[in-house]
Each structure stands twice: as C-alpha cells, then as structure tokens.
Amino acid sequence: MTMSTSGHPRRRPILAALMLGVMIVVLDNSILNVAMRVMSRPAPTGLGATQGELEWAVNSYTLVFAGLLFTAGLLGDRFGRKKALLAGLLVFGAGSALAAASSGPGELIAWRALMGVGGAFVMPATLAVVMNVFPREEQPRAIGIWAGGVGLAVAAGPITGGLLLQHFWWGSVFLVNVPLALVALVAVTVLVPDSRDPSPGRLDPVGVPLSFAGLVLLVYGIIEGGRLADFTDPEVVATAGGGALVLTAFVLYERRAAAPALDTRWFRNPAFSAAVAAIAFVFFALMGATFFSAFYLQSVRGCSPLETGLLMVPLAVAQMIFAPRARRVVARFGARAVCATGLAGVAVGMWAVVLLDETTPLWVLEVIFFVQGTAMAHVMPPATVSVMQSLPVEKAGSGSAVNNTFRQVGSALGVAVLGSLLSARYRAGVEDDLAVLPESARHAAGESIEATLGAAQRLGPAGRALVDPAKAAFVDAMHVTVLAAGTIALMGAAVVAVWLPGRPAAAPEETREVSDEDEEEVGARR
C-alpha cells in the first residue's frame, strides 16, 4: 500500500524524538572534550590517564562506531529502523552507566567501545526515519532542523560537562546520559513508527563482514599512526594498508554480487559521491583542528572546564541559527555554490586561528568559532540532503550509514593526521627546554602540553621555567596544524565546486513506505 506524499501526520513530534536520540550521542562526545584534562589527573580527582589513554577513550568509540555504521544501517533497513534505534539507545545508556563506574583508563576505553556500538545503531536510524516520514519537499528543512539539533548538543555538551565537573566527580559526564537515554527510549517507543526496506533482498554474508573488518582495520591504523606520530610504523602500515585492501576487496565483490549490501552504482551519481566527499573533508578539518581547543583554553589560557564550555558556545549557536535556514540559500544559489562557499569558510575559520596566542583577547576566538559554525551550517545540511535524496527512500538506512561512515572516517583521519602533526611540532618546539628534566622523563614530558605542565609541577619552583616555553610551543604547533586543516578544507571546496550538481535534480515520484501505524492514521483521517 502507498501513502500520500503529504507525509506522516505526526512527523514533527517524531522529528523531536529523533533529535533527542541524536543529541544524546553528540552530547556525550562534546562533554568528553572538556573532561579530558580532569581525567588526566591522578585518582580520586581523575583516572590518572595518559595522553595515549585519553586518545583511546575517544578513539575506541570512533573505531567501533565507524566499523559498525554500515552494518547497522543495513540491519535497520532489513529488520526495522525503530527497532535499531531502540536497541542503540539501550546499549548506549548501559555503556554510559558502566563508563561512569570505571575504576581505570582500561575499563573506560572498553565501555566507550560499547557506547560506540549503541551510537552506530542510533545515527543511521534517525536520518532514515526522517526521510521516511517527511515528504520530499520538506526533507531539506527537516534535515536542517536535525543538523541544528546537533549544533544544540555541541553547545550544551561543554557547558553541561563544565557544570558537572565543577560540582561532581569525572564520571558524572557519562552518568548524565542514562536519564536522557531513558527519556529518548520512551519518546521513540510512543511516537516513532517502524519502517523497513520492503524488498531487502538476500543477506550478504560475505560483503557485510568485509565492510566491518576493512573499516575497523583502516580506522585503527589511522588512529595508531596519529598516536605514534609515525605513519611509516610497520603496525600502522599493516593495519591501515590491510584495511584498504579489505575495503577494495569489498567494493570488487559488491560490484559482482547478485544481492550486494552496498550498491556501488550510487557513487556514479555526482550528487551522492561529491556530497559524501564534502562531509569527509569538513570533518577532517574541523575535528582535527578542534581536538586541541580544550587544551588551548584550559592549559594555555587557564580557563576552567565550565568557562571552556561557555567559550565554545558560538560554534554551536551559529549552527543552530543557520543550519535550519540553509535550504533557502540552496534554493537560490544551488548546493554546489553553497557547499563550496561553506568549505571555503571553514578554511578561513581554520586559518584565522593563527591570530591567537597566549594573550589574545578571547572575543577574537569567539568570532572565529562563530565563523566556523556558520560555515559548517552551510555544508552539512545541503550535503546530507544531496546524499539522502540521491537514493530510493527504502535504502535510507544504508544511505545514512554511508553518510555517517564518511563523516567518522574523516573525523578519525583528522584527529590522527593533524593530531600527529600537532604532537610532532610541539615536541620539536619544547625539546630543548626539557633538558632541565631527568633524561628518563623527557620523552613522556614532551608528549603533550599537559604532560609538560605536569612534569613542571612535580619539579616544584624549578619547573616554572618550563611553563612559558610549553605554552609558546603549543601555540606554534596549533598554528601549523590549523594551516594544514584549512588547506584540507579548501581542497574539499574544490572537489565540491567541480563535481557537486548546482541545483537539486528533480526526482521521479517515489512510493513511500508505510507502517501499520501509518495505515491506521490514514484510515482514521478518511
């Protein structure tokens, strides 16, 4: 049975429930950014986590999330997106509770990985349901509001984290997810209709494991390369290269499979392939560059976690303001012009960070954050709309998974590549000053600015001579990193300007999947 193109009668409350689910996942990661410095302190204040352990607290989530996204999207399309969403929220909430109770960095890393499993099922399902319950002409606005909700979570995360850390122990930044997940579970159960691909075809027992193994190996290799600051290390080459080979085998297999998990013909459509490239480029630049923001504000400028969260608000507020309105600009100028200009704006925002040093007025940073947020708001919604509207609605889960996979791989690459550039430049800048330390402690102290400041504190009065050089070396490394990040974003603008279509193509009429609940409501309205 088909349904009128007017969409689901309760689509707006449904969108609110979906945004709540997405915001929980995003909120957790933005909270974690301001909590890292606290977790590096010795117990009981923190976990005594090293720089490498803090990176893995972030990356264990990213690794599992990225590896499972495509598989989770396929399972949602086959067995029901509402079921996938509920399962993801349940696992994410349980993982958050366990993470809050961690007794050491190793446990935290493990429970963050479990949270990644939950997040991988939440993200593709939300966007797939949006595409299913909104008519085509309302989808750009709905996706803009969805992206604005992400911006709200980005803003609320650091502020919430700062308030919690000011009054409670470090684990509260994870425990806060539990009541939110319970509310989201109730809202999704009551409001969201289930939907699935009506003709999913046969299962792909070869392609699905290949996609998971390839993504996990590739992302793991990228992360290790960043951690070691050496992408020629044999372990890095073996894992990342192995992942690339497995993914190549996956693509070759899918091209010949009778019932492929991923239809490789999607990438022949410029509206699809250029849009996912834009998403990867913007997150490569943004995640790699903003990884150090908390350390600049707290370690160099002496801000508290709460002050750091408040200072990051303009980045998110700009997204909240402009993301829901980006469709109007796209309607006038076309997706290609808007996305290319947005990526160029991201590049300008990155390069502007070279204006910052140890004493620059903080309002300069606020302006830079607002520029970056505005630019992102004109990339993500139109690129996401381009990806999702390039595909049949019954493949929405798989399309959303591809969209999110490119975002996560871009993020992992950004953190690893730009993070290793930051680390290498910082170590080179502070190396001579570390001569005041015992030789056995110099390597660890040069790992990060926090490690250097910790070593200086242990030295007592003699360590004060390390503080100013450490801050100067970090600012210099930050400048080099943002120059690279801006260049990457500008490369993305060039890709979009060449390949992304200028105007949304008129799509043929598509039949809309309906749930049993939809049929009952349509019948009642008759």
Side-chain angles (χ1 to χ4, degrees):
M1 178 178 176
T2 60
M3 179 180 170
S4 165
T5 56
S6 61
H8 194 285
R10 293 205 314 261
R11 55 191 178 277
R12 289 173 182 82
I14 290 169
L15 179 59
L18 297 173
M19 285 173 60
L20 180 59
V22 172
M23 286 171 65
I24 293 168
V25 175
V26 176
L27 182 77
D28 174 75
N29 285 298
S30 57
I31 282 180
L32 190 59
N33 286 336
V34 299
M36 286 194 290
R37 190 185 183 204
V38 175
M39 289 191 293
S40 69
R41 294 172 180 165
T45 304
L47 280 174
T50 65
Q51 180 76 8
E53 287 168 337
L54 287 174
E55 289 179 7
W56 272 110
V58 175
N59 290 331
S60 62
Y61 177 91
T62 301
L63 180 67
V64 175
F65 188 95
L68 273 179
L69 267 171
F70 184 68
T71 302
L74 285 171
L75 292 174
D77 280 348
R78 172 172 287 274
F79 297 110
R81 290 138 192 171
K82 180 176 182 176
K83 296 182 183 69
L85 185 52
L86 290 171
L89 287 168
L90 187 63
V91 171
F92 191 87
S96 298
L98 291 166
S102 299
S103 60
E107 283 187 26
L108 177 62
I109 291 168
W111 299 132
R112 285 281 296 164
L114 181 63
M115 292 168 67
V117 174
F121 279 86
V122 171
M123 290 297 285
T126 57
L127 204 49
V129 174
V130 167
M131 300 304 291
N132 188 247
V133 301
F134 280 87
R136 187 178 182 88
E137 64 274 11
E138 292 183 18
Q139 288 169 2
R141 182 171 184 268
I143 289 174
I145 293 171
W146 179 87
V150 172
L152 176 61
V154 170
I159 297 171
T160 305
L163 285 169
L164 290 170
L165 292 172
Q166 193 167 321
H167 298 287
F168 304 102
W169 94 116
W170 64 266
S172 61
V173 301
F174 298 107
L175 198 61
V176 71
N177 295 330
V178 177
L180 295 175
L182 291 173
V183 172
L185 280 166
V186 173
V188 170
T189 301
V190 173
L191 293 170
V192 176
D194 205 0
S195 62
R196 59 175 62 85
D197 185 346
S199 303
R202 298 195 302 266
L203 289 171
D204 186 358
V206 175
V208 170
L210 280 176
S211 72
F212 177 76
L215 284 167
V216 167
L217 285 171
L218 178 65
V219 175
Y220 178 84
I222 292 167
I223 291 170
E224 276 296 282
R227 186 180 70 82
L228 299 171
D230 181 9
F231 284 87
T232 63
D233 182 86
E235 182 184 358
V236 174
V237 172
T239 51
L245 288 174
V246 172
L247 288 174
T248 301
F250 166 69
V251 171
L252 293 174
Y253 175 81
E254 295 298 285
R255 291 178 64 181
R256 293 166 175 76
L262 173 67
D263 191 340
T264 56
R265 292 174 297 180
W266 294 350
F267 290 92
R268 298 176 189 172
N269 183 349
F272 181 87
S273 54
V276 295
I279 291 165
F281 273 114
V282 75
F283 273 92
F284 180 102
L286 194 78
M287 296 304 292
T290 56
F291 179 73
F292 55 72
S293 294
F295 291 101
Y296 170 73
L297 288 168
Q298 294 184 50
S299 302
V300 175
R301 303 305 299 267
C303 297
S304 69
L306 177 57
E307 289 169 337
T308 300
L310 291 170
L311 287 167
M312 289 182 176
V313 165
L315 180 70
V317 167
Q319 293 181 59
M320 291 167 56
I321 293 171
F322 294 107
R325 294 168 173 79
R327 74 189 192 284
R328 298 175 185 171
V329 188
V330 172
R332 182 170 182 179
F333 299 105
R336 176 170 55 201
V338 174
C339 281
T341 304
L343 278 161
V346 171
V348 170
M350 293 293 121
W351 290 334
V353 173
V354 299
L355 300 172
L356 304 176
D357 59 25
E358 300 95 314
T359 59
T360 306
L362 288 175
W363 67 261
V364 177
L365 177 63
E366 300 297 89
V367 173
I368 292 171
F369 276 158
F370 192 82
V371 169
Q372 291 176 346
T374 302
M376 269 200 77
H378 289 87
V379 177
M380 293 307 299
T384 303
V385 169
S386 186
V387 169
M388 300 305 294
Q389 290 194 342
S390 300
L391 306 177
V393 70
E394 62 269 14
K395 301 297 182 186
S398 300
S400 176
V402 172
N403 176 73
N404 282 292
T405 298
F406 272 75
R407 178 171 65 86
Q408 285 299 314
V409 171
S411 297
L413 269 168
V415 171
V417 175
L418 297 177
S420 66
L421 175 62
L422 178 77
S423 297
R425 182 76 177 190
Y426 174 77
R427 184 181 290 277
V430 81
E431 195 167 14
D432 292 342
D433 298 287
L434 295 177
V436 299
L437 296 173
E439 190 171 349
S440 58
R442 291 174 193 171
H443 182 81
E447 214 177 67
S448 67
I449 185 172
E450 275 300 304
T452 305
L453 294 178
Q457 189 174 23
R458 287 191 293 273
L459 273 181
R464 291 175 189 165
L466 277 177
V467 174
D468 288 341
K471 292 180 178 181
F474 182 87
V475 169
D476 173 69
M478 181 177 72
H479 290 168
V480 172
T481 304
V482 294
L483 289 173
T487 303
I488 294 296
L490 199 62
M491 289 170 56
V495 168
V496 167
V498 172
W499 282 292
L500 192 67
R503 298 279 178 182
E509 285 294 317
E510 294 172 346
T511 59
R512 178 170 298 279
E513 306 162 66
V514 294
S515 63
D516 293 339
E517 182 182 341
D518 292 337
E519 293 183 17
E520 290 173 7
E521 296 215 20
V522 171
R525 292 174 68 188
R526 289 174 180 168

